[in-house]
Each structure stands twice: as structure tokens, then as C-alpha cells.
Amino acid sequence: MNICSGALLSGALLCGVPGANAKNSMESAYASLPAYNGQDLELTVDNSGTHFRLWSPQASAVRVLLYSTDRNTAAADTLEMARAEQGTWTVSVPRQLYGKFYTFQIKYNGKWLDETPGVWAKAVGTNGQRAAIVDLASTNPSGWENDKGPEVKNINDVIIYEMHHRDFSVHPSSGIVNKGKFLALTEQGTRSALGDKTGIDHLKELGITHIHILPSYDYNSVDETQLPSNKYNWGYDPFNYNAPEGSYSTNPASPESRIREMKEMVKALHDAGIGVIMDVVYNHTANNDNSNFSLTAPGYYYRHRADGSYSDASGCGNETASERQQMRNFIVNSVKYWAEEYHIDGFRFDLMAIHDTETMNEVVKALKGVNPSIFVYGEGWTAGDSPLPVERRALKENVAKMEGIAVFSDDIRDAIKGHYSNAADRGFATGKPGNEETVKIGIVASTAHPQVDYAKGNNSKFAYASAPTQIINYVSCHDDLTLTDKLHKSMTGASEEDMQRAARLAQTIVFTSQGTPFMFAGEEIFRDKKGVHNSYQSPDSINAIDWALKQKNADQFNYYRELIRLRKAHPAFRMTAAEDVAKHIVFDKVEGDNLISYSIKDNANGDVWKEIKLVFNGSDDPREVKIKKGNWIVVADDGKINADGIGTSKGGKTIVAPRSALILAREK
Ligand code: CA
């Protein structure tokens, strides 16, 4: 769409003049539109009736179409809206229209555009085509008023488990009834055919503190009328930002069903002491000219190139414009809504650097106002270039400008396992030299440390985090190869046992590093995705976790569980100030590649352990290190771990087995 083809504001654009001047005049025209930040946008129902208010400053007329069903019927009524303050249009009906559906339609540039449920639909019918008028209080599960997520003082006390609803429950081995649904996470006591815990019981057994659910707002790709065909999608194709996805509900045609079932999921997890983090994708929409943004305020919510075409920092065909007031309001109010209405405990921002730092700071401020335990993290990069100046982007390199926000460390990710997009490339844990300094950057959570030389870093060349609470450490996620597949593709010829050792070493580095650990669901039982790196629409046969693996790889599961227990028991792994990291972490001089040895000293962060010694050997060979003489507890050695200790050591010359972590601790 060429934005110049529409009269944005009469007389504000010099149409037919491409280039920077046209773009600048577009920008100033958008900037001159009045913003509206009231909490009553689109729909409110009270004792006086049902009230509609659409923000559509460029429209010449706006109407509401009322329906008695969610699709396939003609409008039962049409209401003309009247111009109101700050670019909005309003109309009221003196009755509570619960149970009805509605859409908006705007006249723009002399033409009626397609109908849209608006951008603020909090309830929708099948495929999100029509918004629904629902009494939200009626969707609350019993006890909802007392529902609360886990208290979080610092984000790095959290252990994040990233999962997709279908991956987690859809496999026949899950023993879960509501496969691929929100309700899967409400089922207690589920077991695999082999008797292992699955579902919420599995999460409790593993010990993670929060699940991060892949996009669960209403997305575009899965046809909600064809659920038996079991189509799969990650959901990074937003359609309605403020209503849950219908395919995860038991009945997409019932607007209440998806809302109530998602709340029931949140409540069951909260009752189990587990928090819920939502993956949010405000950076782009599934559609361009036909998105709900475009159909309510054409052009306004997006960035454009000088020729008027959509700019595309998302790699998905468009990018939103968080620097414009109404878009910024939208993002801030939307996350606030999820926090208030659904009791969401954290937000993961997809391609966060498409947003500006000011918007992200406002997001954090608003969320902390709802609940101080809420935290925010995101991908500190874009997928393509953006018209937004680099210094304004919420990049990982700009994270110091965003207090209370954390970014994924691609530094530690690629250094441990090898480059994410080069399948055969190895990393520190799989024997490739040259990644040691970047792993150290990960260990100190990208904060300034006197013994870490950022010039030797593979990715970032400076200490970009102002505190370890600004870093999310991980070795894999839903994107790219799973850790298991990466090891299969890079450790060619190695045994399965060797690969599992490498996985343990990799996660030991992640879970003992400063910052917040993040893991991909199922890696604790060595799940794979049959080598598919971009499984966003692959079938369940690729994406589903086979829970029989929990028995087959029981040693792996037990290792992960102990690793998590170790981290939770010891605040030394969870320092909150960069100065403490610089003071308490001391790296040892070691000979040769693929070997890192360091201590966390002097009861760091109030730990009962005076000193923790960690040695990581990513090479194929056993390596000898010198440990200070003393009374050490052996916590991890040769692919085994126990947070209470697996033995003792007097120190001195010590062999560290190939591809393994040695962890020792002493109280005196
Ligand atoms: Ca949908």
C-alpha cells in the first residue's frame, strides 16, 4: 500500500513526491494526530448500557455492526458513530448487549474499508473475526480474586521454561486429556504410559519457577473451524492482541471459553507455585493493509520506507511504530491488561529492538505498578533494518538504558554450542577452541569484569549490561535447532552418551552463570525436533515431546533437576549487582583450549558456601587442574551432580573428565 494514495490528513501530505521529504511529512502528519489514552476504548458495558469508542482520527465516518452470532450471519443492526474527543468516535446503546458480537467499519478516503473487530477486542468468536460482548467477571474461575503468582524479588531468582501448548501435551504419551489446550496445564496427576510424571506434575518435579508460553493471544494461522486437522503454528502472526487464541480452547466459537480456560491454566499453575510468562509480539502483525490496525487507522501504526512501502524490521512484512503515541499507549495498556485480567507474571518481547527504549521503559513502569513481581525480557535485536535510529532501538547493546529489562545473551548461546545458523559449527562445550572468552562474558552476565576481555568476544565487544539482572542465559529455545539436534548435527560420529554429556555441560554453564537461566521445554529429557530448525508450522510429529524419553533419558532428567535445585539453593549464582560479580568471581589461569576454571568467593550474595569452584572442560580429553587444598564437597563431577554433594575432595591435582563440569564447594 502506498500511504500517499490516501488522504492522511487533508492537506498534510504532498502526494506523488517520493523520498525523504514525503516520509518526513508522513511522520509529522502521524505525529499531529491526537492520541487517546482512556481506558474505555472500543467497548465498555455498565449499568447505563453498552458503549463503543473507536480511535480512528483519519476516518470520515465510522459505524458499528451488531451480530447475534460469531460468523456467517448478516448484521442485525448498524449504529452510526459520532465524532468525539481525541480522534475517537462514539455511540451507545441503552442496554447491556451481553452475548452479542460486533465489528467496526470506517470510511476512509471516500471508501468503506473491510469490517474489523478493532484493536481492543477482549473477547472474540471463531477465528477472531468478530468481537464479542462478554461480562469478563463471569469468566473468572472460582478463587480467582485470591489468585496470585509467585513473588519475585529479582528476575535472576527465576528459572524459565519455554514451551508451546501443543509440544507439551499433544503426544499420546503425555497421558493428558486436553491435548494442546490451555486446560492441559490444569490436569493434576498425569503420567506417561511408563509411569513418569507429565504435565504440571512434571514441572513441579523439575523445579522450574516460571513457564514461558509461546504466543497465546489470538493469532492468524490456525483455522479455528478446522481443529480436528491438528494444524500447528508457533503463533508469531498476531491478529487480536487482547484475546486468547481460540485453537487452545475447547470451543473457539464460545468467546468465554478461551478466556475462562486460559485463566484456569494460570490459576492451576499459580496454585502449583509456578508463574506464567507470555510471549508478546507487538512488533508486527500477520496482515498488512487488512490488519486490525490498518482497518482502524490506516498507516498510522506502522513504519514506512521513504517510498511509502512498509518497512520490515520483523522480516514478516511490516513493523509497528512504537514511537507514535497511540501505538505506545496500545503496547503499554495491552500488557497491563494481560497482567490485570489474566494475572500474567512476566512478558517476553519478540524482536524487542523494533520497539524504542522509551516505550519499553514505560512498559516496565506500568507493569511494576500492577505487580512489582512482574518482569520483562526480550530479544535485543531486529530481524531486518528499521527506520528507527539505532540509538533509540531496544537493542541488547542499549539495555543499560532500560532498567528492569533483560535481554537474551546470544553471546553465551553461540559460544557454548556453536553458531545458531551454522548447524555443523561447534562451540565451547563441543570441543571448538576460541570461545572461552565469550563463555566468560556469559558467566559474568555481560557486566564489566577486570579479567574478561570484551575485545575477544565473538558477538558483543563491550560490557553492555549494567547488572546481571539484565541478562537471560540460554543455549537453545523454540527457534533454530534444539540443543539435541544441534549436538547431533555438529558432533558427527559421537555416541548418544557423549552428546548427552555435552548437553549437561552446556546447561551447567547456563545454570551456574550470573543472570537468569532459560531452557527449552523437553531438553531435560533430551527431546529433539528431528533436525528441523524452523518448525513454526511443522506437524506434531516434529514438535511434540515424546514423554517416553523421560524414562529412556532418566539420568539426563535427574541431572537437570539437581542442577536447578543447586541454583535455587545458592544465591552465589544469583548476584544482583555488577560490582559484586566483579568482586566475587575470580577466573583461574589455565593451560589449553576449551577449559575454564573460576571461583565464586567469599560467601557471595550471602551464600552459605565460602567458595564455589567451577571447572568446565569442553574438550575430548581429560584435563588436569590444580585445586586449592581444603575440605571440598564435590557437587558435580564426570557428568553427575547432586546439590547436596556426591563426595568430598581435599583439593590438589584433580582430573576433570572430558565434556563435563566439575563443581566443588567449601564452607570454610
Ligand atoms: Ca486464532
Side-chain angles (χ1 to χ4, degrees), residues 23 47 112 178 207 225 259 271 328 332 341 374 452 515 637:
K23 186 167 164 272
N47 288 336
W112 287 99
N178 292 288
T225 67
I259 300 172
D271 289 346
R328 179 175 291 162
V332 172
E341 186 66 30
I374 298 179
V452 176
D637 181 33

Side-chain angles (χ1 to χ4, degrees), residues 396-418:
K396 68 170 188 163
E397 288 83 0
N398 290 334
V399 74
K401 297 180 194 170
M402 298 184 284
E403 202 187 325
I405 290 183
V407 290
F408 285 99
S409 170
D410 57 345
D411 308 82
I412 199 169
R413 179 196 70 196
D414 291 356
I416 290 176
K417 70 171 181 184

Side-chain angles (χ1 to χ4, degrees), residues 373-395:
S373 287
I374 298 179
F375 51 87
V376 174
Y377 57 97
E379 291 183 309
W381 48 74
T382 65
D385 199 13
S386 171
L388 187 71
V390 170
E391 64 275 12
R392 292 185 67 187
R393 296 181 196 172
L395 287 162

Side-chain angles (χ1 to χ4, degrees), residues 548-622:
L549 291 172
K550 191 169 175 182
Q551 188 119 150
K552 185 183 170 209
N553 300 318
D555 289 347
Q556 199 75 353
F557 175 73
N558 291 331
Y559 190 98
Y560 275 66
R561 193 183 55 185
E562 282 302 313
L563 186 57
I564 289 170
R565 201 162 72 86
L566 172 70
R567 182 177 175 90
K568 284 162 88 171
H570 291 282
F573 302 118
R574 299 182 265 120
M575 287 182 262
T576 56
E579 306 75 61
D580 287 341
V581 175
K583 192 170 104 189
H584 291 280
I585 288 191
V586 179
F587 290 95
D588 304 311
K589 235 185 143 95
V590 290
E591 294 297 319
D593 300 322
N594 294 91
L595 190 67
I596 290 173
S597 173
Y598 74 100
S599 283
I600 312 178
K601 288 194 165 167
D602 301 329
N603 305 89
N605 205 17
D607 208 295
V608 293
W609 284 342
K610 170 102 174 143
E611 180 176 358
I612 308 171
K613 172 70 73 183
L614 299 104
V615 189
F616 303 134
N617 178 9
S619 73
D620 296 335
D621 307 307

Side-chain angles (χ1 to χ4, degrees), residues 124-128 217-224 237 239-240 243-248 252 258:
V124 294
T126 311
N127 283 332
Y217 52 73
D218 181 36
Y219 59 76
N220 197 47
S221 49
V222 172
D223 185 349
E224 298 174 7
D237 54 336
F239 188 55
N240 288 298
E245 162 61 15
S247 66
Y248 298 144
R258 59 181 83 192

Side-chain angles (χ1 to χ4, degrees), residues 21 25 105 125 136 145 202 269 327 534 620 638:
N21 287 342
S25 54
Q105 203 175 14
L136 286 169
E145 61 282 2
H202 172 78
L269 286 159
M327 184 64 206
N534 187 12
D620 296 335
D638 194 16

